[in-house]
Amino acid sequence: MSNLSKLESQSIFLLREAYRTFRRIGMPWSMGKDSNVLLWLAQKAFCGRIPFPVLHIDTTYEFPEMLEFRAWAQKHYGLQLIVKINEEAIARGVGYETHDPVTVTHELKTVALQQALAEYQWDALITGIRRDEDPTRAKERYFSPRSSEGEWNYKDQPPEFWNQFALPPKGAGGHVRVQPLLDWTEYDVWLYIRREKIPIPPLYFARNGKRFRSIGCRPITHPVPSTASTVDEIIAELYSTRTPERAGRAQDHHERNAMQKLRAKGFL
């Protein structure tokens, strides 16, 4: 069995374990490459359907191309799509025009997620994070508990020795993050996209000598130099590039340990 098939098998196992264990599940979907791989794996795990709602946190700063992809994917996959906007923060004037990226990310993404958790009472969220994407995410577990406020104590995670997936006890009002892509790398993701012919947004492909490696809010997401305009060319580029995957994500670089602080408060 190839490494890619082993990763696929483990991810499907984790998805099925989550569905067997938890009563109310939601799956955050950023519309990016990782979350589209996660959609694809969920379809495979559950015989062509995705049996839980898919949540998009809409900051109102999305690229138009991503919104077009969202509309297409909802119809194509038959998604139970929930779109959540933190209307209260927007009413207070929170935005990139007036606030720093970390504050806006927390208010428009993390707090919006907390609102969705309170509204839909999910006891598990299936996320598409990977260990190799950011040093903070490397501290995650396959089944990672969150507090009733959605906060993450990265210093106190359940042991998972020899791929024994511990199911941590859930505190009152808390939830568990299920991470089926934790062992995947960016390179694995693109190999899988090629093998399975998974649809992805066009922003990942180079235009005018630049492309997006990682896609977030429009004002704080910047493309990197690239001529890779096909999946094969992206895979070849990743084999030799020294540019970090999240080099174009401004909130990561706004202050020291910005990502760790955001994730401790509940950011995906």
Side-chain angles (χ1 to χ4, degrees):
M1 182 183 289
S2 69
N3 181 61
L4 211 55
S5 293
K6 289 178 182 177
L7 289 170
E8 178 191 64
S9 179
Q10 176 174 287
S11 296
I12 287 173
F13 172 75
L14 288 165
L15 284 161
R16 290 173 175 167
E17 280 291 286
Y19 190 67
R20 180 184 67 85
T21 303
F22 300 102
R23 292 182 300 136
R24 296 181 301 275
I25 297 175
M27 187 164 76
W29 176 53
S30 70
M31 305 179 296
K33 61 185 185 302
D34 300 326
S35 59
N36 284 312
V37 165
L38 198 56
L39 280 184
W40 194 266
L41 289 164
Q43 274 200 134
K44 281 198 168 188
F46 303 108
C47 304
R49 69 185 185 93
I50 299 172
F52 32 72
V54 170
L55 171 70
H56 178 230
I57 302 294
D58 190 339
T59 64
T60 72
Y61 289 96
E62 310 295 338
F63 286 92
E65 294 93 334
M66 300 300 278
L67 295 178
E68 290 172 11
F69 185 85
R70 184 178 75 185
W72 174 86
Q74 180 181 9
K75 184 177 180 180
H76 178 75
Y77 291 107
L79 301 177
Q80 307 170 53
L81 179 63
I82 297 170
V83 177
K84 183 65 180 178
I85 299 173
N86 185 353
E87 303 282 3
E88 184 273 333
I90 291 172
R92 286 191 283 110
V94 174
Y96 293 107
E97 301 82 1
T98 55
H99 293 71
D100 67 84
V102 171
T103 298
V104 178
T105 299
H106 176 70
E107 290 278 357
L108 299 188
K109 290 188 176 182
T110 305
V111 176
L113 177 62
Q114 292 168 350
Q115 292 170 350
L117 281 162
E119 182 175 355
Y120 296 100
Q121 296 294 297
W122 290 316
D123 52 11
L125 290 178
I126 297 173
T127 82
I129 71 161
R130 308 185 331 266
R131 283 197 179 105
D132 77 316
E133 190 176 5
D134 179 85
T136 301
R137 286 174 169 161
K139 301 174 184 178
E140 282 281 9
R141 299 291 188 266
Y142 301 106
F143 293 91
S144 184
R146 296 304 195 266
S147 72
S148 57
E149 291 77 33
E151 295 178 343
W152 176 44
N153 184 354
Y154 51 85
K155 296 180 181 179
D156 183 21
Q157 291 293 287
E160 290 181 335
F161 301 124
W162 306 292
N163 278 350
Q164 298 298 309
F165 309 132
L167 290 172
K170 301 183 291 295
H175 70 279
V176 170
R177 302 272 173 97
V178 183
Q179 335 269 22
L181 300 184
L182 207 55
D183 290 343
W184 294 57
T185 66
E186 184 186 11
Y187 191 66
D188 295 326
V189 165
W190 283 105
L191 289 175
Y192 193 69
I193 287 170
R194 179 174 68 181
R195 191 184 86 175
E196 302 289 312
K197 298 181 173 59
I198 299 173
I200 57 169
L203 290 174
Y204 284 108
F205 301 109
R207 290 182 291 187
N208 301 318
K210 293 183 178 182
R211 75 175 187 91
F212 291 91
R213 287 272 299 280
S214 179
I215 302 173
C217 291
R218 189 176 66 254
I220 60 165
T221 303
H222 309 294
V224 298
S226 173
T227 59
S229 58
T230 68
V231 173
D232 283 337
E233 288 175 355
I234 288 172
I235 290 169
E237 179 183 85
L238 289 177
Y239 194 75
S240 59
T241 186
R242 293 178 179 270
T243 303
E245 182 178 359
R246 293 180 65 91
R249 301 292 290 272
Q251 79 268 22
D252 293 25
H253 316 296
H254 177 71
E255 60 182 72
R256 181 177 172 82
N257 298 326
M259 177 60 80
Q260 182 159 295
K261 292 174 184 177
L262 282 167
R263 286 188 57 74
K265 293 179 180 179
F267 179 62
L268 290 167

